[in-house]
Amino acid sequence: MADQIPLYPVRSAAAAAASQRRAAYYSAAGPGPGADRRGRYQLEDESAHLDEMPLMMSEEGFENDESDYHTLPRARLTRRKRGLEWFVCGGWKFLCTSCCDWLINVCQRKKELKARTVWLGCPEKCEEKHPRNSIKNQKYNVFTFIPGVLYEQFKFFLNLYFLVVSCSQFVPALKIGYLYTYWAPLGFVLAVTIAREAIDEFRRFQRDKEMNSQLYSKLTVRGKVQVKSSDIQVGDLIIVEKNQRIPSDMVFLRTSEKAGSCFIRTDQLDGETDWKLKVAVSCTQRLPALGDLFSISAYVYAQKPQLDIHSFEGTFTRVGLLDLELNQLTKALFLALVVLSVVMVTLQGFAGPWYRNLFRFLLLFSYIIPISLRVNLDMGKAAYGWMIMKDENIPGTVVRTSTIPEELGRLVYLLTDKTGTLTQNEMVFKRLHLGTVSYGTDTMDEIQSHVFNSYLQVHSQASGHNPSSAPLRRSQSSTPKVKKSVSSRIHEAVKAIALCHNVTPVYEARTGVTGETEFAEADQDFSDENRTYQASSPDEVALVRWTESVGLTLVSRDLASMQLKTPSGQVLTYCILQMFPFTSESKRMGIIVRDESTAEITFYMKGADVAMSTIVQYNDWLEEECGNMAREGLRTLVVAKRTLTEEQYQDFESRYSQAKLSIHDRTLKVAAVVESLEREMELLCLTGVEDQLQADVRPTLEMLRNAGIKIWMLTGDKLETATCIAKSSHLVSRTQDIHIFRPVTSRGEAHLELNAFRRKHDCALVISGDSLEVCLRYYEHELVELACQCPAVVCCRCSPTQKAHIVTLLRQHTRKRTCAIGDGGNDVSMIQAADCGIGIEGKEGKQASLAADFSITQFRHIGRLLMVHGRNSYKRSAALGQFVMHRGLIISTMQAVFSSVFYFASVPLYQGFLMVGYATIYTMFPVFSLVLDQDVKPEMAILYPELYKDLTKGRSLSFKTFLIWVLISIYQGGILMYGALVLFEAEFVHVVAISFTALILTELLMVALTIRTWHWLMVVAEFLSLGCYVASLAFLNEYFGIGRVSFGAFLDVAFITTVTFLWKVSAITVVSCLPLYVLKYLKRKLSPPSYSKLSS
């Protein structure tokens, strides 16, 4: 890495110009995984016949022709609409969107990205202005808040319609009531919405401020100063302490370690929490002191920013599916409103200024579209969020987006990260198998005893002989070859595991008086409590920790040697002669060491069973035991050794050095020389390491599967690790087969592999990010369709961009609701691309948690979050929305009947406060109490996750249920109005009080009919509303007259206390409600819903 970052000291102008011409570009963010690939839609120059032979999507093609290239019919393409048909079917929306995008691009032209020159420690020398180093999750600023919120509200047809209706009341010819009748509800709705958005925005501001206020040490000419992370500028020299987050993209200039090496974690980029070794720029590492960085006057010439895994941008404004569905229903209601108004004008015979009458009828029947729908739903969502955060069974859960809680109840696909989400990324040694005997976690003390005895015996033999190693070697070489005892085999296996790795023990350094970290090794504490292990693989750390637990401890390591401490305290030194690091192609790593006490040279190797099975000597147990451990979800490694003589090693070293100096086919020649050693190696043991799962991951995944949710695991980890976790977490059940998608690099290879995958049935798919990219480039539709048929999908080696792309593809192709859950910065793009994002606060920081709609502390909490809160939120919102519509439809039906009786006159039935009070104090509390309703108890919803399946079909809110409520409203509205006219013909002057009283009673009874589980607050709401109405009869009697108040028709208070009034109102109410109660009873008996069976 250090060689790729050129630093340019300033010299003369000519020299500087020459230096710039010679300089290699350095990418500030680093090349992304897909930087060298061609565009996704760019076709490779392959055989043209592939264009005519698309993939098979039916079994018949295999029966008719076995050729892989003679495959299924081409994916269906819909006929593109043209002309007026295209415009009506969505073209207008496309044109509006295009115009808006064009205007935005004109107003906000993106700045062209250019290469940059960054001066060390001199931000003021930057030629261009760079953005601040701050995190911003806010949607608005001070100037855009009000316009933005108003736009978000009035883009819904419902609110836009009521804005137009309210504005029409300023026209005298169209005015049919008091201004507050229309503006008060609209203002209340907007006030509630603005207040809710303001609270959410303030919370986002506080979270961002907390992250941006973290302090870092900035190096200046005068020394160290503390700066906030948001105040860090391009060119600043920042001192990052141990275990501190790196606040921005940085160039590694210098470290307190003499060799210039440093272990870093990239969990915010790729989700992996293992440590990776990085080396500082050599010329700055060699400087005597930190302050000398200012004396060299150097700069970094950086290539222009590239799209890669280091960058995340954009804040998404989410709208739930239920909101969109209700928006469609309000459009249907508007169509009904227009039709009804036209019918009334037609029945008038288009007499007089019919267009004015038409508009007045539109205003009279405007309650068909209830403005209170939005405010009730928004308040309901706020209540759901409060219930979620107050649930003691899922402590620490935070609702960050209060607009989509009901989305949790309609999920079909759950896309999850692996590291830190399903697993803790803490490797634990679980199994050691020696062929004839196996040791588990409960028998590790036996291994410890064997190791202690074997090293005690070796130590006593060594102390009884000459210190020279020759006698010991002669005694070993003269020993006849016999079958090794279990103790000696354990001794060899543990020693091999303790030596064959790339782990470095690290000790805390003491801090000097000046605060600077001192380099003197004498100042370091080498005690066991002060030691930590760092390596590029957490598996290796787990193995070394295990050898320490059984008595053989790695205490020191550098490039040339390592030291082990035995149980008796003796330190053994081994010289590292050669290292062969692990690669994804070889799937193994090796090391050649010389024991300094015996001069014995040993070649140790460990790796995957598929790579080691052909290298070790013949055995009859390795394959079977590897399969057994894999089924348990353990990550297996085969350990072997080969003892070399001095002559054998010298011969190997000469051939190895010669191969490394080859100009042609160097890699192949080096591999061939190494393989010459990898023959007939002695099999020592088989190890099993488990990546510890998060608490209750298995039952949670099983619950989600039973609920009909398909789970995809998207991880940046390697294929073998992802497959192991998929098995151990039971993401893939033990009875299911796994199809591992072979690596493909071209269209032809993708074609063949997809056809091979098509033949498989009911098997989980495991595919790498590179292969996925190739398949999506040519066969996007076919791959997604095949993957969606799998019970589980695992995508490994995925970049954050690929994760987000997969989520977007699922949403587009399936039209189902998706949820993404993760815990690291690399999951942010995936979380924001999904319909619903869930972040876990874990070891990888808070970036995912801050960017998500919901934040949880453990993966297992997602079960209750979906099964209980998601299910209840959706069912409650569906019931609440439809009931509010029913409330508007029933009063509009009564208005229509009333206008018909008065010869289709556009005269309002109810005046002023009655219309406002009807949707507020008279019925609001009982209707809103539906947010407390539940069909089954939370424990039952978790025990029977199958109840969740019904929700994904959207049956709780559909055109069918909507039409049922429309018919109920028409029936009840007609009964109430005609009943009042028929029974009170002699008291026609009191028809308003009669019908309105029956209407209020009907609404209260309908709420009681809708409720499935009573809550004490529901009872309070019912009686409170009834009491408010009875009180208003006495104090607001001027509003109960026919027509306008100026007509002089007032309510006779004495009349409403008569028995005649009471029984006739009761009769009308019973006729309007009793049939619905009977129908509900019969339906529950003859065709009970699934939840009622569990409740009983």
Side-chain angles (χ1 to χ4, degrees):
M1 176 181 176
D3 298 334
Q4 300 173 2
I5 306 175
L7 291 176
Y8 306 113
V10 178
R11 299 184 295 277
S12 65
S19 176
Q20 282 191 355
R21 286 194 297 272
R22 292 194 302 269
Y25 278 68
Y26 161 68
S27 174
D36 57 345
R37 297 195 197 110
R38 282 176 280 184
R40 195 177 129 221
Y41 296 102
Q42 182 179 351
L43 301 180
E44 295 182 2
D45 186 18
E46 296 189 1
S47 52
H49 66 272
L50 282 176
D51 291 329
E52 303 302 324
M53 299 179 183
L55 290 168
M56 177 165 15
M57 298 297 287
S58 62
E59 290 299 327
E60 289 78 1
F62 287 114
E63 295 170 0
N64 297 332
D65 194 336
E66 290 297 319
S67 171
D68 274 326
Y69 276 83
H70 197 72
T71 47
L72 50 50
R74 191 180 289 273
R76 295 184 298 275
L77 297 175
T78 56
R79 179 178 61 87
R80 294 192 63 182
K81 300 178 178 65
R82 296 291 181 185
L84 182 61
E85 181 186 5
W86 173 81
F87 184 82
V88 173
C89 296
W92 63 271
K93 187 181 294 184
F94 172 77
L95 290 176
C96 292
T97 304
S98 301
C99 292
C100 292
D101 291 341
W102 179 79
L103 287 173
I104 291 173
N105 290 332
V106 169
C107 298
Q108 297 179 341
R109 291 191 183 276
K110 289 187 177 180
K111 186 173 67 173
E112 183 182 358
L113 300 176
K114 300 178 180 178
R116 293 148 297 165
T117 299
V118 181
W119 293 81
L120 266 62
C122 302
E124 64 277 0
K125 288 188 178 182
C126 289
E127 299 175 355
E128 59 178 317
K129 185 178 180 182
H130 296 284
R132 293 186 66 207
N133 184 52
S134 61
I135 295 173
K136 187 175 185 296
N137 286 302
Q138 295 168 249
K139 293 161 58 176
Y140 311 105
N141 57 37
V142 176
F143 302 104
T144 62
F145 177 72
I146 295 297
V149 173
L150 292 179
Y151 169 76
E152 290 296 326
Q153 290 304 305
F154 290 122
K155 75 178 182 181
F156 286 102
F157 178 80
L158 173 68
N159 292 344
L160 182 61
Y161 168 75
F162 265 95
L163 178 64
V164 175
V165 168
S166 301
C167 291
S168 70
Q169 294 305 289
F170 290 108
V171 181
L174 302 177
K175 186 176 181 181
I176 61 173
Y178 299 106
L179 285 177
Y180 69 80
T181 306
Y182 293 92
W183 282 101
L186 182 62
F188 180 69
V189 169
L190 293 179
V192 170
T193 301
I194 290 173
R196 189 200 68 213
E197 284 290 339
I199 292 172
D200 287 349
E201 192 72 0
F202 182 70
R203 287 173 178 169
R204 284 190 284 265
F205 167 76
Q206 285 184 314
R207 294 194 300 266
D208 291 343
K209 185 179 179 181
E210 179 185 352
M211 298 298 294
N212 293 329
S213 298
Q214 293 183 358
L215 296 178
Y216 288 85
S217 297
K218 173 182 172 181
L219 188 64
T220 65
V221 179
R222 300 178 184 86
K224 294 182 185 178
V225 294
Q226 293 288 313
V227 294
K228 296 179 180 179
S229 63
S230 58
D231 294 334
I232 295 175
Q233 298 178 345
V234 175
D236 280 345
L237 298 179
I238 304 298
I239 300 174
V240 182
E241 306 291 345
K242 182 177 180 180
N243 294 328
Q244 191 176 24
R245 284 280 176 195
I246 296 177
S248 61
D249 294 339
M250 290 188 168
V251 177
F252 184 21
L253 298 178
R254 181 180 172 83
T255 177
S256 57
E257 202 271 331
K258 289 183 292 186
S261 61
C262 178
F263 285 93
I264 68 166
R265 270 206 326 219
T266 59
D267 48 11
Q268 294 289 3
L269 304 180
D270 54 19
E272 297 183 8
T273 57
D274 51 303
W275 297 94
K276 297 175 175 61
L277 180 65
K278 299 296 179 183
V279 181
V281 178
S282 57
C283 62
T284 52
Q285 177 65 31
R286 289 194 298 266
L287 294 175
L290 284 175
D292 295 332
L293 287 170
F294 292 96
S295 63
I296 62 174
S297 188
Y299 66 88
V300 173
Y301 187 65
Q303 188 181 3
K304 68 178 182 179
Q306 303 291 324
L307 178 64
D308 59 18
I309 67 173
H310 297 262
S311 58
F312 305 100
E313 60 183 13
T315 302
F316 286 72
T317 302
R318 300 176 185 273
V319 177
L321 180 60
L322 185 130
D323 291 320
L324 299 177
E325 290 172 341
L326 288 173
N327 200 43
Q328 295 298 323
L329 294 181
T330 55
K331 293 178 182 178
L333 289 174
F334 176 73
L335 182 61
L337 166 64
V338 173
V339 171
L340 180 59
S341 301
V342 171
V343 168
M344 299 299 282
V345 173
T346 304
L347 293 175
Q348 277 185 333
F350 291 97
W354 62 269
Y355 53 87
R356 190 180 69 180
N357 292 334
L358 175 63
F359 203 93
R360 286 178 63 86
F361 276 121
L362 288 173
L363 296 175
L364 281 176
F365 299 140
S366 62
Y367 279 89
I368 287 180
I369 306 174
I371 190 173
S372 58
L373 177 62
R374 291 297 314 167
V375 70
N376 274 280
L377 287 176
D378 289 345
M379 291 170 63
K381 292 173 181 179
Y384 306 147
W386 183 83
M387 294 176 191
I388 291 172
M389 290 191 286
K390 292 297 181 181
D391 191 343
E392 295 179 354
N393 294 291
I394 48 175
T397 302
V398 180
V399 179
R400 303 200 186 279
T401 304
S402 59
T403 56
I404 58 167
E406 67 277 347
E407 289 294 281
L408 295 171
R410 310 190 61 179
L411 301 178
V412 178
Y413 290 95
L414 176 68
L415 300 102
T416 174
D417 180 38
K418 177 191 74 70
T419 307
T421 304
L422 296 179
T423 70
Q424 301 179 27
N425 203 39
E426 292 181 1
M427 306 299 169
V428 178
F429 192 93
K430 286 288 186 179
R431 189 73 54 83
L432 178 71
H433 204 291
L434 301 176
T436 57
V437 62
S438 176
Y439 295 92
T441 53
D442 53 344
T443 54
M444 290 301 174
D445 54 340
E446 297 182 27
I447 297 179
Q448 189 174 9
S449 176
H450 284 299
V451 171
F452 181 81
N453 293 332
S454 62
Y455 274 105
L456 189 63
Q457 183 179 2
V458 171
H459 180 61
S460 61
Q461 289 177 357
S463 60
H465 289 79
N466 188 290
S468 173
S469 62
L472 186 60
R473 288 187 63 200
R474 282 196 298 271
S475 65
Q476 287 179 345
S477 61
S478 61
T479 304
K481 255 192 171 180
V482 296
K483 190 172 182 179
K484 292 183 179 179
S485 65
V486 172
S487 182
S488 63
R489 288 164 62 194
I490 290 176
H491 170 80
E492 288 292 338
V494 172
K495 184 170 73 170
I497 295 172
L499 289 171
C500 187
H501 53 73
N502 196 22
V503 181
T504 303
V506 178
Y507 300 88
E508 291 283 351
R510 289 203 304 191
T511 305
V513 179
T514 61
E516 297 288 337
T517 302
E518 301 191 5
F519 297 115
E521 294 185 4
D523 292 333
Q524 291 187 344
D525 181 6
F526 288 94
S527 63
D528 292 345
E529 297 79 11
N530 193 44
R531 180 173 50 249
T532 58
Y533 296 111
Q534 292 182 345
S536 59
S537 170
D539 298 60
E540 291 201 317
V541 174
L543 293 173
V544 173
R545 281 180 179 159
W546 175 77
T547 61
E548 179 183 6
S549 69
V550 296
L552 194 59
T553 306
L554 175 68
V555 293
S556 176
R557 178 179 183 145
D558 55 29
L559 296 177
S561 65
M562 71 174 79
Q563 292 180 324
L564 303 179
K565 186 172 70 173
T566 66
S568 60
Q570 181 186 10
V571 176
L572 306 176
T573 302
Y574 294 86
C575 180
I576 301 175
L577 302 178
Q578 298 288 346
M579 274 286 299
F580 312 110
F582 178 91
T583 64
S584 56
E585 291 79 20
S586 66
K587 300 185 187 305
R588 58 187 181 268
M589 67 88 60
I591 186 172
I592 301 178
V593 296
R594 175 187 282 120
D595 186 344
E596 290 197 354
S597 62
T598 64
E600 186 179 44
I601 300 175
T602 309
F603 174 38
Y604 292 105
M605 177 163 281
K606 69 179 179 189
D609 57 300
V610 291
M612 298 291 292
S613 57
T614 57
I615 294 174
V616 299
Q617 297 170 349
Y618 173 77
N619 62 86
D620 57 359
W621 60 272
L622 181 60
E623 183 179 357
E624 180 182 357
E625 292 304 325
C626 283
N628 292 337
M629 289 191 187
R631 278 186 286 274
E632 296 178 27
L634 300 180
R635 300 159 73 159
T636 57
L637 283 174
V638 180
V639 184
K641 79 164 189 175
R642 180 181 176 184
T643 303
L644 303 176
T645 63
E646 187 68 35
E647 294 76 17
Q648 288 175 326
Y649 173 72
Q650 293 300 333
D651 174 61
F652 165 78
E653 186 182 33
S654 63
R655 290 186 291 116
Y656 188 65
S657 301
Q658 187 176 0
K660 288 197 293 185
L661 295 174
S662 299
I663 299 176
H664 303 292
D665 300 327
R666 179 185 301 173
T667 304
L668 293 176
K669 291 180 180 178
V670 168
V673 173
V674 175
E675 286 176 5
S676 66
L677 285 182
E678 301 171 346
R679 294 174 183 170
E680 291 297 308
M681 297 189 70
E682 179 186 351
L683 176 58
L684 297 178
C685 64
L686 174 66
T687 64
V689 175
E690 181 185 53
D691 188 351
Q692 281 194 316
L693 297 174
Q694 296 278 359
D696 295 332
V697 161
R698 293 189 182 102
T700 301
L701 291 178
E702 184 179 359
M703 178 196 302
L704 297 175
R705 273 201 306 271
N706 293 336
I709 298 176
K710 292 187 176 182
I711 306 165
W712 290 29
M713 185 170 76
L714 313 180
T715 176
D717 218 332
K718 52 184 181 287
L719 187 142
E720 294 82 4
T721 307
T723 306
C724 280
I725 296 302
K727 291 177 180 178
S728 63
S729 64
H730 294 176
L731 176 68
V732 178
S733 65
R734 298 193 177 193
T735 58
Q736 285 176 348
D737 292 330
I738 295 180
H739 177 81
I740 297 179
F741 206 90
R742 288 188 306 163
V744 296
T745 56
S746 64
R747 184 176 185 179
E749 293 176 354
H751 194 99
L752 292 171
E753 190 59 24
L754 279 171
N755 282 337
F757 174 48
R758 180 66 182 87
R759 294 189 175 95
K760 302 291 181 70
H761 296 280
D762 191 36
C763 68
L765 172 65
V766 179
I767 186 171
S768 66
D770 292 338
S771 300
L772 181 71
E773 186 78 14
V774 175
C775 291
L776 291 179
R777 188 183 305 167
Y778 303 113
Y779 301 112
E780 178 181 290
H781 176 81
E782 290 84 351
L783 176 64
V784 175
E785 189 167 336
L786 287 173
C788 288
Q789 297 172 5
C790 297
V793 176
V794 177
C795 300
C796 55
R797 288 299 182 194
C798 279
S799 67
T801 306
Q802 285 179 318
K803 290 182 178 183
H805 188 201
I806 293 170
V807 175
T808 305
L809 286 177
L810 271 181
R811 293 178 61 191
Q812 292 175 348
H813 282 264
T814 65
R815 303 294 179 184
K816 304 292 185 183
R817 311 312 282 172
T818 60
C819 175
I821 179 171
D823 71 319
N826 62 314
D827 302 317
V828 170
S829 55
M830 171 179 72
I831 287 172
Q832 292 186 335
D835 296 299
C836 176
I838 300 177
I840 300 179
E841 286 195 20
K843 296 180 179 179
E844 298 184 22
K846 293 185 178 181
Q847 283 198 16
S849 169
L850 294 174
D853 303 305
F854 303 90
S855 171
I856 58 179
T857 56
Q858 297 183 50
F859 181 82
R860 63 176 177 175
H861 291 170
I862 195 176
R864 187 177 180 89
L865 187 64
L866 302 187
M867 300 301 111
V868 177
H869 294 287
R871 185 173 181 276
N872 285 342
S873 297
Y874 171 60
K875 292 183 77 72
R876 289 166 177 172
S877 288
L880 180 62
Q882 292 178 118
F883 200 94
V884 172
M885 288 182 180
H886 155 75
R887 189 173 62 183
L889 281 167
I890 190 173
I891 200 170
S892 298
T893 303
M894 295 175 70
Q895 176 67 57
V897 173
F898 178 78
S899 296
S900 302
V901 171
F902 277 84
Y903 303 99
F904 309 105
S906 55
V907 178
L909 172 60
Y910 303 123
Q911 287 292 331
F913 186 79
L914 291 187
M915 295 302 293
V916 176
Y918 172 68
T920 54
I921 63 171
Y922 296 154
T923 60
M924 182 180 71
F925 299 116
V927 171
F928 187 70
S929 68
L930 291 174
V931 301
L932 301 172
D933 190 24
Q934 61 181 25
D935 50 3
V936 294
K937 293 182 178 179
E939 297 77 16
M940 199 68 69
I942 293 175
L943 187 60
Y944 296 98
E946 291 79 7
L947 291 171
Y948 189 90
K949 281 185 181 179
D950 297 336
L951 274 62
T952 59
K953 300 171 184 176
R955 291 175 179 171
S956 296
L957 178 63
S958 63
F959 271 102
K960 178 183 176 181
T961 59
F962 171 67
L963 290 175
I964 291 174
W965 276 105
V966 170
L967 294 176
I968 291 173
S969 304
I970 294 173
Y971 165 75
Q972 290 185 326
I975 290 294
L976 292 174
M977 201 64 232
Y978 277 115
L981 294 174
V982 171
L983 293 180
F984 291 88
E985 189 174 358
E987 299 91 2
F988 190 73
V989 71
H990 299 304
V991 69
V992 172
I994 297 160
S995 61
F996 199 78
T997 303
L999 173 62
I1000 297 299
L1001 292 176
T1002 297
E1003 285 299 289
L1004 296 180
L1005 290 173
M1006 285 301 295
V1007 171
L1009 177 67
T1010 306
I1011 291 173
R1012 290 158 294 196
T1013 304
W1014 281 90
H1015 190 279
W1016 67 270
L1017 284 175
M1018 295 176 174
V1019 180
V1020 171
E1022 291 270 324
F1023 284 103
L1024 178 62
S1025 296
L1026 184 60
C1028 290
Y1029 178 68
V1030 172
S1032 67
L1033 283 175
F1035 296 104
L1036 300 172
N1037 57 359
E1038 70 271 15
Y1039 289 103
F1040 288 92
I1042 299 176
R1044 297 184 182 276
V1045 177
S1046 58
F1047 287 1
F1050 293 93
L1051 177 66
D1052 184 1
V1053 178
F1055 169 73
I1056 64 174
T1057 59
T1058 61
V1059 176
T1060 304
F1061 174 81
L1062 295 176
W1063 83 259
K1064 288 187 177 181
V1065 168
S1066 300
I1068 296 173
T1069 306
V1070 168
V1071 173
S1072 68
C1073 294
L1074 185 60
L1076 299 177
Y1077 274 83
V1078 173
L1079 289 174
K1080 180 180 180 181
Y1081 175 80
L1082 292 176
K1083 182 181 179 182
R1084 195 176 181 90
K1085 285 293 182 183
L1086 301 176
S1087 178
S1090 55
Y1091 67 83
S1092 65
K1093 302 172 186 176
L1094 299 176
S1095 301
S1096 59

